[in-house]
Structures are given as structure tokens and as C-alpha cells.
Amino acid sequence: MAQEEKIDQIGLLEEEELAAFIDHACELEHPREMVIDVLRAIQKNHGWVPDEGVELTATILGITPIEVEEVATFYDKIFRRQVGRFPIHICDSICCWSNGGEELAEQFQKTLGITFGETTKDGLFTLLPSCCLGVCGQAPAVMIHQKLYGPLQLDDVDELINRLRREASA
Amino acid sequence: MPTLTIDNQQVTVTDGSTVLDAAEQLGIIIPHFCYHKALGPVGSCRMCAVTVHEGTFKGLKMSCLVKAEEGMVVTTDDQQSVEFRARVGEWLMLNHPHDCPVCDEGGECQLQEMTIASGHGIRRYGGKKRTHNNQQLGSFVAQEMNRCIQCYRCVRTYKDYCGGSDFGVMGSRNRVFFGRYKEGPLESDFSGNIIDACPTGVFTDKTYRFKSRYWDLQEAPSVCPHCSLGCATIPGGRYGELQRVRSGVNEKVNGFFICDRGRFGSSYVNHPDRRRQVRSDGQPLTVGDGLSKLDAQARELIEEHGPEAVLLLGSNRASLETNWLLQRWAAELGCRAPLLSAHLQRHQAAQVAAFDLSDRLASLEKVRQSDLVVLFGVDPLAEAPMLAVALRQAARNGALIMVYDPRPIELPCEVDHQPTSPAQLLAMLVSDCEPEIVRIREMLSEAEMPVLVAGGDLLGAEGLLRVKQLAVEQSNEKRPCLIHPILGGPNSFGSAVLSLPEQDDLLTRLESGRTKMLICVETDPLLEAPEGERFGTALSHVDNLVVFDYLPTPLSVHANLFIPSTAPAESAGSFINNEGRQQLFAPVTNPRLPIAETGAGNHPPREFLSTAPGSDPQPAWQLLQQLLGDMGDLETVRQQMATAVPRLVDFTNLQPGGVCCRVTDADERSLYAGDLPEQPEGSLQLVVTPARYGSDLPSRFSAKLTPRFAPAVLQMNPKDAAALKLAAGSKVSLDTEVGSFNLILNCNKDVAAGCALVENGAAFPHLVPGGLPSFCQVSAGVRDD
Amino acid sequence: MSTPQLLFKNRRPGETVFIDGYKATGGYQGLEMALKDSSPEEIREQVKESGLRGRGGAGFPTGFKWNFFPSGAPGPKYLVCNCDEMEPGTYKDGVLLAADPHQLVEGMILSAFALQTDVGYIFIRYAYEQQADYLRKAIAEAKAAGYIGKNILGSGFDFELHVHGSAGRYILGEETALLNGLEGIRPNPRLKPPFPATRGLFGRPTTVNNVETIANIPHIITGGALWFRDLALTPGSSGTKLYGLSGHFNVTECFELPVGIPLREIVENYGGGIRGGRKFKACLPGGASTPYLTAEHMDVALDFDSLEKVDSRYGTAGVTAFDDQTCMVAATFNLINFFARESCGWCSPCRDGLVMVRWLLETIDNGQGTPEHLEMLKDQLKNIAGNSFCALAEGAMGPLAGLLNHFEQEIVDHIETGKCPFRK
């Protein structure tokens, strides 16, 4: 256990989680197949994947950091830069676009006072454009922490943001 | 052997050839980027499109992916193909900056050539270009990612082919980035190959940055002088300066790539301390006067003191021609035959390779094709770097690589390494019951193309003969068991081929006191022979020391008469590599003081001279011809040599950078190398290994390589260190037969038990690899000697 | 609703059916029957007979694909379910799994038995975490019931099933990219051949099938191949299909309807017409990569062959409608933007060609286009289509082809007036 604590120096994973990953990596013939699982777990705990997370993943899976980075930087739902506590993925694909997705995106930007790629000063929200979220029947939609919201009217934005703010201060 | 028609011309190609290969055979070069002969096709760039009219799959196809078929009809110049390739050209140029005027690739840019070949000319895209931040990748390779056209060749070269683990591709879509996880020097010993592989100016040679335009550069095919493999290189020079080296192509040897030692180890040619004038006891002389003086003195001494009075010493750095003319001059002078190496054991090992193993030598190509390679006493990255890359290719094709060596072997592939001390190695090779050799025998008997790689330095002549026994025993009617020997220097094999059977030792000769004049040609025994210090002492018996060299060696400073010779890149010549391949090199530049030096950063002085400053150095063979009073040119010398030494390949069949052939087989030489010494009780076996950089003298005198020079350490197995109560990281004293040295101790579990390992290099030149097996003591603390 | 409901048999709004509910309507009967009475060959034959074609978009006959599979080869073999449903306008697999996850689990076990693979993976997109949770629960239930594990129902057949998550990116839906993604390396598509049936996951024989395809297997086994064929309305077609409606329809829901249903019925009956009383202008009949249909195609049957005849594709049958106020240049720009952004970066036509197309459409949409831009657009279509490494850029050319086929005049209007005629 002492050694396990050492490989996760900044506490990116829960102790049991880390132990489970290490055990699972030992069982698998190709531990590398877990790379997304580990990165997602780190992101879930830490909000995003810092360099230490890439290095920790590499250590758990017995591969090099560049091998993890090659994969981590490919996927748009793995954050290699700090994001707010609530990264808001706003769908900009065709069904949401045809149902007022652009106006919705503008409303989010206006409400939060940030543009895409930015994080609010309080560190709560980051706005990100996203491809189709798979809820085309409920357009326009957004996703926050793998939870989907849609169809959203422009009026819903304030309420959603306020709800998340309350959640954050609770 | 399908026959197909390409652009109305018929061509017959070997089975498995692609349409791209077939077209090339007809002289039709289809533009391409991602395809590279060594890396194979991946079909990503789509540049090599052609139209298939008859064949299994018709229509616009990528010629790098389509196999040639019997009766296939293909056009490369039809409208569809031409238009599509122009579009690919346009796509690839979407983001490419118009910075060709300041790009080092200018003039040798495949993107430039292929874009023109594709027919794309006018830019139509008006959107934003993607841009990147660059990474600092160390002192060898400069990165300019904005120029990238995403052919993936760099990562396929660095990672897939050469096995580097700190480079990759990140991001996606039109923002893929090729580089390291974090900024920092590239770690691979083959990092420079991405410079050659990159078709444009993303990765360029940092050491050559802004020095020359390609068309101003003088280039010629050459042979790398840094180890015994003899890889093909193409050095380039300008204004008297050897500015860079790029990889040549030799499918039998290195293939398409070279190591960083070979690529960045060329600045010895421009060493600021290089002596470019004849000096006699400190006084400058013309070359003619220097040679006349030498000739007169040598003849006088022989007349007065007999044939022993003058001793000529050749070397494995000197060309075949030089070594042979040295023999002729000795005969002409009437002195005893020259020694062709100051390092007796290395020379003996080379003779075993050149004679006893000559009928079973394997090329690097054979190593790449092998399904089982067993290495005895070889650390490829230290002794023959491209061997490591060859082993990787074998491993990628499923070969098993087994290594028996006392050193902590690192290889860019999976390897079964058994740390084995030199004594264990020699013993196991002749054992019937030692479990490892039993296992090796079993596996060898099942292998289809087995190759044994044998390190001459560690095994010595006796060890090589034992490996031969194993190879003979494991050969059968279906297939031979071949040997790939690793030798001490670029022409070790060549000087061995020329050497006479009688064995003679430099030190014995010198210590006899009969030698009055020693003439060293392109060698410094102080640094290149195992007992440098003893040699230094023995030199006191010599009245007259003459040195021919192109390196600023310590010995050349002590010389009574110094005669500057040329570096391999400044002269024509030939080397024979470790597996007996006779290879020619051509002169790249003329010797002269680089303008960068004469001008001290400004314009050089406007004096009108008929010769360039510092242009006195001449090829050693040419100096010897003058001493022989023979006006024959190099061709004549070569003709005479090939007649005198029938084993050599007729030189008129060879070309620099082109055809190279193996010398013919020879009878066994049956050397007697002497009994192996007994290990004194309580001692450790001393293992001296070349440092990866700075062990061979040309690399030691190459400033470009200094970032890779390693500090001097002593390595031991942690168990041995514990038994001796020595702590890792502490200062220890190493006591050897030739002296005591203070070093820092490193513990490494991959060092064979019972061994003390030191690296010969710039930081620790005192012990030289390849000496007799010897023993040492290691103790705590610092000893003052 | 007269269409027999197979896949949506257990669907109730806002509910998810687990093992008890699933078994109550006949769930796992197919598996029990097959393991008791049928050989793997018989199941493969039945699937081939059923005429089932892949529901992931390409429409490759499933039985045919399975016939390539070396089910007798020794060593590990894999069955992979592609649930990386990421094509805009396509959400049917998500709905299916949210309603009734056991169908996929039973389908996977049956398919694995038919192919004699001992390990299965369900590769599921990032946004479907809810569905992934349902699947994990369903798999646990199936394990507890003895449908997964060693010696299933005493048949001697072993099978393990895993759910594997992703982290975004449309390219993972390409089967070889998906395999790389599963292996934890960069998910670029692989060079073919070798095909996954020969060298797939971890270099072993692998077959990759879509969620809906596999969910159909239990129904084919219980109902029979002929019955399944007869469910379709057009000759040569078979089965029902999940149609996910989106865009400007009044009703944007997912329906299970026969293969071969005419477009008119979708638009008028199921979609409830176009919202705001506007007119139907065009639709993507089967996801973002399928060329537009227009009002003139109202009577075209929605099936693989009929749509090919009108230069479109059945795709995933996710129908996205556009009303008469939609600028088709802007719509196509949106679609191309998706494809350009989702390119993996491997081949030039996709990585750079789509950027070129995106710039052309943007320029025209902004009113800065010239007749040369229109020519360039046609020229890009001609050269990108059919010439990329995988089907992504090929798919991106679908809407562009549709635009140029049916709405060239709209492009010309943009160019001639110097502005978008639809923008206020």
C-alpha cells in the first residue's frame, strides 16, 4: 500500500479505486485497454486530468506517459486543461442547430459572461461546444457530467445555472 | 512474377511488389509522402493515387497499397489521377506556412518536390491556418510544427522502426501534433532519423541550422567511421567545414537509417585544435620537407641500427589503402612489417573474424531477417548501435532475441537478457551441461535463420572461436548458423585481412629498446590501446615519434614530427566492415581551415593566396605514396593492392554509396591467443565497455556529441556491493592491473554478479575495452595515487 | 399502431425493463431454445435466411458477415457490439438501451454462441453513461441467472461480457477505430485487409455489430427467419427498424416501424407534419452522412435499395427534417463542420479536404462566395468522395452531394445576392 500511495502523489484516485485498478491491470492480458477507464476516473475525482494523472495512468498500466497522452489528447471528453466544476457541453450538431442550438449557446454565453473554451471567474462553469449528444429528439440539448438536459428553452438557462450554483454552494 | 502495364509500358516485378514499386522500376516516380521503403505503406496521405483500368480493384487507387497483378493495366498520367493528386497537394498545403526562405529544408524538401510533381500551384484556400507551439527537443533536432503535413513518418520512424519511447502523436483531426509528452531532449539513440524521414522542415538538424543551403553543400557517399558496422552515410560540408551527416542507404547494412553517434559525431573534422601543418619539433614545415626529413631519418636509423629501429603502426581508423601502403613502405625501407593495430587483443579478435569466421558471416540484413538472434558479449547500443535497430526489426517480425552479457543491456525491443560474466560466457560456450547453453542449443536447432552475434571485445579471439564451434555444430544442410561479429573499429576487419599471421605486440617491441623511431598512422595508443600508461612509459625508449593523424590526439602533441592527414570525409578510401564487406568512401570536402574560423565570425581576410589556409593535410595513402616515390593515383594503388591481396574484391566493381561486396573466404588462421588468466580470490571481473558516445576517438573529439557524454561511474550488482559494504552513490576506489581510479558507485541489478563495470569515454579514458580478461578490487573511500 | 413491436415491445415512457419484466414477455426464451436445440451453424444459417442487414448505417448483411468469421479457429475470438452511436440525428440505440437493455445482452450471448466467441465487449459512447449503467445491471442479472459465465445452461458454452466506455469522438463508430479504442491505443481506423474477422481485437478474429442488429437476433431465433423477412414492406427487405425522428417534425420521437415504410408516412403520420405549419423542405433520411431527400421523394420507400436508387442511403434511419425556412447551405455547413471536427487526422482528404469544404461553405454562407467557389465545391466533392482512408469523409460528402444535387440554386442565390436569402 505504501508503494501505491507513492505512485498517486496528489491523490487523484481514491485508495480503493487505485488498488482496484492495479489489481485489474495485473489480471488483464492487455492492461492498456483500461486507459480510458483510468483517465475518466481521475477526471471524475479531480475535474480534469493533470500531468500527474497522465503519469499515474501510465504507471498503473505499465506504459509510458506519451502512450497515455496520445490517447488522452485524442478524445474531446478528456480534459487535459483545467475546466470549471461544471463543464457544459452544448450540442452544436444538426438537430440541435435546427432547433435553436445557436441561440441557446448565445444565451449560455451571455448568462455566464464567457465564450466557448472559457471558465467563469468563480471556477464553476466552462462552456464547450460538443458534437451530437445522442438526444436528437430532445433538441436543443446540453450535457453536464454525463447528464443530459433537453429540450432547453432560452428561459431554462438561468434556472439551470442557478440550480448548479446552489448545488455547488451546498 | 506478374507482368503489368503502367502508362503503356510493360514491366515484370517480383511477387508482392506494389504498383508504386513497379512504376519506380520503369522510372516513373509517383508522388508520395507516407510511403517510405523502410516504413512501408500506410495509405494516409493519398498522394500516390493512380488509375487501375484492369485488375481486381478498378478505379482510382493508392499505388502504395495495391499489389501488382498479372495483366494489370494502370495509368499514372490520366486526368482523374492527375487531378486527384493535385487536390492532395492542395490539401497538404492548406496549413503549410510560406516560410521556405527561412526553412532549412529548402532545396531538399520533398514537400516542395511532390507539390510541384502533383501539379498544385496556386493557393485557393483562404481560411485560417492552424498553428502550433513548438517543443525544445534537445541539442540535435529542431521542431517547427507549423510546417507539418501529417504524413506520420516521424512517429513511424522514431517509435515503430527505431523503438524510441518518448515520442508520439497527440491530438487529432487537423491539429495532430508530433512530439514528446513534455519538452526535453529526445532520448532515443536514433533520434536524428526523424530529420531524414520528415519530408519537409518540421524536424531539421539543429546542429546544422542556417549553415548552408542544400545546393551549396558538398556531399558525397561515405562510410561511418564510428564503429565496425560501416553504415552508409552522406556527410555534407561547405567552406572547409563538415557541417552535417545524413543517412545513406545500404540495404545490406544499415538500411535507411543511422544512429545519432554517426549523425552528430562528425565535428571532429572541424575540431578547433586540429593540427593542419607539418611540425617538426614545434617548427612548421611544408609537407614535402616533412616527408623528406622523415624518409631520410628512417633510412638512416635502419642503416645504423638495423630493421628493428623503425616501427610502423597502422590502425583500424586508417583506410585499407593506407594500411597496405604502410606495409609496402616498410618493405621498401627494409624494416620489419608494420603492426596494423596498437591493440593486440582487438586485432586478434578481428583476425578470427576475418579468417576463421569468413565462411559464415551474417550481414545486418540477415540479422533483420533472422528468427532467432543470440548475442554473446555484445551491448549493441554501446558497440554497434544500428545492430540494436536491426534486432528490433527481427523482433517485430517475431524473432526471439537472447543476450548473454555482463552489462545492463537496453534494447529497443523485447529481449531475453541473462546477465552473464565474461568468465561464465567463455565457459558456457564450451560446456555440455550448463543449462543456458543447453537451452540455446535446443532453440537454435529449431530456428530457421539463426544468427549468433559475437562481441570481439568481450569474448576475445578465443571466445569468437568458441562461438564458431557452436555455429558449426548448429549448421545443417538446410541452413547455416551464421555469425555477426562486432569488432573494435571501422576498418578492424580490413587491417586484419592485411595482417600477417605472426603475432607481435607493440609494447614488447617498444620495451625491447631496439625501436628508435615509431611512426603511428592515424592511431593514438595512449587512448586506443589497453595499456596506455605502459605505452607512455615505453615511449621513453623511442628517440623519434612520428604521428600522422587528423585528430588532435595527445600523442600528436608529443610527436617529434607531426604530419597532418585527412579525415575519411576529406579523402577517398575504403574500409571493410565487421562482416567483411569492402566499402568505398568518397571525399566530401577538401581539407582546409573552415571559413567560420579564419574569419572569426567576420568576413575572412582579403588576402590573395593560391591555396586555402590550413589545406596542408593530405590523405595518408597519398603521403605514403610520396614516401614510396610512387606517383600512382588511388586507382593504381587499389589495383596493385587487389592483386597483392587476392581476397579483396576488385575495386573497379565497387562504388562509393553503391555496390559493396564481401571479401572472399579464407582459411582458418588458428591463432593462439594464450591461456585465459585465473581469477584471483576475492577479486571482481573487470568489464570495460565503450560509452555510447565518446569512446571511439572521432566521437570523443566531436563537440556536437558532448550533451550525450555520460559521467564516469562504476557499476556493480547490488548484491556484490552489499557484500563489499559499498553504498550506491558513494565514492569508491577501483584497483586494476593498470592503476587505481576513484569513481562513483552505481548499483544495477542487471549487471552480472561478480563484475565491476566501467565505461570508456571522454569522462574516463583510462581503461580501454577489449583487453585481456582482467580482474580488480573495489573498495570504499578515495585513494590518493 | 399496426406494426408488430419487437424491439420496443417492453418500452414504457420513462421506464427501464430489467430481467423480470424482460422474461415476462418472453425474454431469454430464444437463448434457452437455441442453446438446447440448435447448433451455432443453424443459428448463423437462420440469421442469414432472415435477411437481416446491419443497423449501424452501412447495411451489410449480418449473416454474410458472420459467414466470414472463423468460428472454428482455436484461441480467443471476440464479439464486439458497436454502441458508439454518434452520428448526428441518430439516437435509436440509446432509446433501445434505456428501455430494454436485456435485449442486447441476450442478443450478445446468442450471437457469441453462433460465432463461438468466448468474450464480448459492448463499446458504448461517453454520453450514454445512463445506458451503460443499465447494461452493467442487466449483465449482472444475466450472470446471476446463469445466462453468462461458464457452461451456460449446461450447454458447455462459456461467455463473458464487458461494457467498455469511451470519451467522445465519432470516429470510434468506425469498426477498426473502435477496436483500437478498445485496445487503448489511438483510435485511427486500421488498414484493411486484414479485416477484423481475421485480425481484429488484440490481433484475434473479431466481429463488430451494431446494437440494434444484435438486439434483433433473439427475435429472429424465436420468430423465425421467414416471419422476420415478412415484417418489411418492400421486397428484398426484412424486419422492423427503429426510426429516430428529429429536426423540424412536430413529433421528434423514436418509432419501431417496418423497413420500407414510405417517407410520406414518416413525415405526415409519425412526425405529425412540420412544426409551425411550415412546409417540408428536405430531410436527412438516415443520419448526418446520408444525402438529402426532398419533397419530391415523399413516396420513396425507406429501405436500403430504394434509397440507393435516389442517390441517398438508408443509413441508421434517423430522419432529420428541415422546414422551408431552412438555409440548406447553412445546414450543410453545420454538417461538414461536424465531420471536419470529428476527423481523426489520419488521411489528407478527411483531415484537410473537409476543412477546405467547410471554408468554401462558410464563405458562400457569409455571402462572400463567387462562382469559382461553387466550382471548387463540386471539385472537392468529386475528389474526396470514394478516396478517403475510411468512410468518415465519404459520409461527409453525403450531405454535400445532396446539396449540390437538389439545392444548387440556393448556392447560386447566395453568390448572386451576396447574402443568405434566409437570414433576416
Side-chain angles (χ1 to χ4, degrees), chain C residues 154-237:
Chain C
S155 64
F157 172 62
D158 305 337
F159 182 59
E160 281 306 323
L161 182 55
H162 309 287
V163 175
H164 196 289
S166 181
R169 299 319 296 280
Y170 173 63
I171 191 63
L172 276 293
E174 201 280 343
E175 61 174 7
T176 57
L178 184 152
L179 296 179
N180 283 338
L182 253 177
E183 289 186 11
I185 57 176
R186 279 178 69 81
N188 296 119
R190 298 178 181 173
L191 193 62
K192 290 182 271 192
F195 290 93
T198 330
R199 281 178 61 86
L201 189 62
F202 306 120
R204 303 294 311 163
T206 304
T207 196
V208 184
N209 287 117
N210 168 262
V211 174
E212 190 186 343
T213 312
I214 288 177
N216 266 308
I217 305 296
H219 302 290
I220 294 172
I221 300 304
T222 48
L226 280 181
W227 164 81
F228 188 79
R229 266 179 184 276
D230 285 345
L231 293 171
L233 298 182
T234 41
S237 301

Side-chain angles (χ1 to χ4, degrees), chain B residues 134-149:
Chain B
N134 296 320
Q135 290 181 325
Q136 290 296 325
L137 297 176
S139 51
F140 292 160
V141 181
Q143 186 196 41
E144 183 57 60
M145 263 306 292
N146 288 350
R147 297 175 184 147
C148 182
I149 58 155

Side-chain angles (χ1 to χ4, degrees), chain A residues 59 103 117 124 127 130 168-169:
Chain A
T59 309
E103 292 75 12
L124 284 184
L127 283 184
S130 175
S169 57

Side-chain angles (χ1 to χ4, degrees), chain B residues 493-525:
Chain B
F493 198 110
S495 27
V497 164
L498 298 178
S499 67
L500 305 173
E502 78 194 42
Q503 291 307 306
D504 219 346
D505 178 29
L506 173 67
L507 285 171
T508 325
R509 294 269 292 267
L510 290 181
E511 283 166 352
S512 73
R514 286 197 288 269
T515 304
K516 304 292 172 202
M517 178 188 241
L518 174 65
I519 304 172
C520 297
V521 178
E522 295 174 354
T523 183
D524 179 351

